[in-house]
Amino acid sequence: MGSLVSCLSDPCPSASPPPQAKRRSSTSSRGRGGGRDSAKATMAIDEEALAAAAALVLGQRGAVGAFERSASVRCAAKRQGQGPPLPRSCSTRPRSLADPELQPQQLLAKDLNTKDLETNIIVLVHGGGFGAWCWYKTISLLEDSGFKVNAIDLTGSGIHSYDTNKISSLSEYSEPLTSYLKGLGVAEKVILVGHDFGGACISYAMEMFPSKIAKAVFLCAAMLTNGHSALDMFQQQMDTNGTLQKAQEFVYSNGKDRPPTAINIDKALLRDLLFNQSPSKDVSLASVSMRPIPFAPVLEKLVLTAENYGSVRRFYVETTEDNAIPLPLQQSMCGTNPPEKVLRLKGADHAPFFSKPQALHKTLVEIATMPPVQAS
């Protein structure tokens, strides 16, 4: 900020002694001349402002290029040789082609009328240790595009006050989600998006409320088959990558002679495991917001039937730079339990809502706008 002020301020006055009293009349005449100069400068500023406004209006009508509002762009040429350029973004992560910077009108998807879709309600279900807070970018982008968005805090997660160590089943852990689905109207449907262990939760909900769910999206998530648990999947991950095994810390609230009640993630390894492509500010948010993962639901084997779970359209979104559920493991789950379509977020880590929010938004809108399957 100091360099910006010095860039715009007048040069420092010289250290010469002040003028003598006999020069006062000369000083006064300069003051009157300075007033005229000041008026001219004010008129020039007004003219520049009018020209800028005209350029903005014309730019919006397509007559000229869009008006550049960024001070870092306008000052870049002037600042050559005057120190480092002004930053373009507060994010520490360089923007990649896989997550391009979009203009507001592109994000708003003005041509999209969500009321014409099979459903415009999207329910976001976080992964183990996360909470509804992790979706803040996705919520904003989807709402700006006209969707109704609900981010669920599962039991003992986010701001849900229940003690994680006391959760004894997947049904108890998923209760906020199932209660929400139970409260929907007769004809209402939603799109479920489950991240990480949230994949097991939305699978459980698909089995219970298949008629309430238009589509289910597994975002680098546990997409399990009948009779398997999330622990089965995570054990496969440990065979391919030792990062998870190093990062997890078991909690024994009932004593070391009893099974673990929860799992913590070592904060020193959070970035390496979950956020290796995410901005530092989001890593900091996660480090003070994540809570223990209840262990009992991870152990529970799902009961999934073709009539219920199998009747819901499923989509899988892969993340290529994922260290928590590596890409080969994601592909293995899709091979064992094929979804309707597999989509990919290039350059995304295990938290694509942080590392690739624009690309994730585009993918979710793409899935939401797929027309319903016609009954044969």
Side-chain angles (χ1 to χ4, degrees):
M1 186 65 185
S3 61
L4 179 59
V5 172
S6 62
C7 174
L8 300 177
S9 61
D10 293 333
C12 295
S14 63
S16 58
Q20 300 297 323
K22 64 181 180 181
R23 301 286 301 269
R24 182 172 298 174
S25 60
S26 174
T27 304
S28 301
S29 64
R30 284 202 307 271
R32 288 192 295 271
R36 288 193 294 272
D37 292 341
S38 176
K40 291 180 180 179
T42 301
M43 292 176 62
I45 292 173
D46 291 341
E47 291 174 359
E48 290 178 4
L50 289 172
L56 173 58
V57 172
L58 291 174
Q60 290 174 340
R61 294 176 181 174
V64 297
F67 181 64
E68 177 55 68
R69 299 168 178 80
S70 173
S72 59
V73 175
R74 293 197 307 272
C75 297
K78 299 179 181 179
R79 287 181 53 83
Q80 288 183 357
Q82 299 184 31
L86 296 171
R88 293 296 303 273
S89 170
C90 62
S91 172
T92 58
R93 174 181 60 86
R95 189 170 295 279
S96 70
L97 294 177
D99 190 34
E101 182 175 11
L102 302 178
Q103 296 301 317
Q105 60 268 25
Q106 293 174 282
L107 293 179
L108 292 177
K110 289 185 177 179
D111 294 335
L112 175 64
N113 186 355
T114 58
K115 294 181 180 179
D116 294 338
L117 302 178
E118 181 182 12
T119 178
N120 64 351
I121 305 173
I122 297 180
V123 179
L124 305 172
V125 182
H126 62 80
F130 291 85
W133 53 265
C134 72
W135 299 105
Y136 76 95
K137 295 178 183 179
T138 304
I139 293 170
S140 177
L141 292 172
L142 288 173
E143 287 183 341
D144 285 346
S145 294
F147 290 94
K148 298 176 182 178
V149 186
N150 288 284
I152 302 291
D153 270 324
L154 299 173
T155 305
S157 304
I159 61 172
H160 194 287
S161 60
Y162 196 76
D163 184 357
T164 306
N165 293 289
K166 295 180 179 179
I167 298 172
S168 59
S169 66
L170 183 60
S171 63
E172 185 179 11
Y173 182 56
S174 304
E175 193 275 334
L177 172 61
T178 55
S179 290
Y180 171 82
L181 294 173
K182 191 181 299 182
L184 290 174
V186 176
E188 279 188 299
K189 288 190 174 187
V190 303
I191 297 173
L192 287 186
V193 181
H195 169 247
D196 182 74
F197 184 49
C201 299
I202 68 171
S203 296
Y204 176 78
M206 291 159 66
E207 180 65 26
M208 288 189 66
F209 302 98
S211 63
K212 303 279 190 182
I213 304 167
K215 296 165 186 165
V217 182
F218 292 78
L219 177 61
C220 52
M223 189 170 66
L224 308 173
T225 54
N226 180 47
H228 287 84
S229 68
L231 181 63
D232 298 332
M233 181 205 68
F234 287 121
Q235 284 179 335
Q236 292 182 55
Q237 195 270 9
M238 291 178 190
D239 293 338
T240 60
N241 188 335
T243 308
L244 177 60
Q245 193 167 7
K246 294 176 185 176
Q248 66 183 11
E249 301 171 342
F250 289 105
V251 178
Y252 296 87
S253 66
N254 296 328
K256 286 293 185 74
D257 58 331
R258 304 290 300 276
T261 53
I263 307 169
N264 268 324
I265 302 297
D266 184 354
K267 292 188 184 298
L269 297 175
L270 270 181
R271 181 182 290 276
D272 291 341
L273 180 65
L274 304 175
F275 310 116
N276 49 297
Q277 301 294 321
S278 297
S280 294
K281 60 184 178 182
D282 292 322
V283 181
S284 299
L285 171 65
S287 68
V288 298
S289 303
M290 293 190 72
R291 294 179 61 180
I293 306 166
F295 193 60
V298 176
L299 293 175
E300 190 169 327
K301 296 184 182 298
L302 273 69
V303 177
L304 305 173
T305 63
E307 294 76 18
N308 293 338
Y309 169 85
S311 67
V312 180
R313 300 173 68 186
R314 283 181 295 116
F315 301 84
Y316 199 95
V317 181
E318 297 176 342
T319 44
T320 61
E321 305 302 319
D322 197 322
N323 288 336
I325 305 180
L327 183 59
L329 179 52
Q330 297 177 42
Q331 294 172 329
S332 175
M333 287 188 288
C334 291
T336 303
N337 187 17
E340 179 177 324
K341 186 173 183 178
V342 178
L343 302 97
R344 176 173 291 188
L345 298 178
K346 295 181 179 179
D349 56 21
H350 192 60
F353 34 76
F354 290 158
S355 60
K356 294 290 178 216
Q358 314 286 10
L360 173 59
H361 169 69
K362 180 181 177 182
T363 299
L364 293 178
V365 171
E366 178 183 348
I367 293 171
T369 54
M370 290 181 183
V373 176
Q374 299 298 326
S376 56

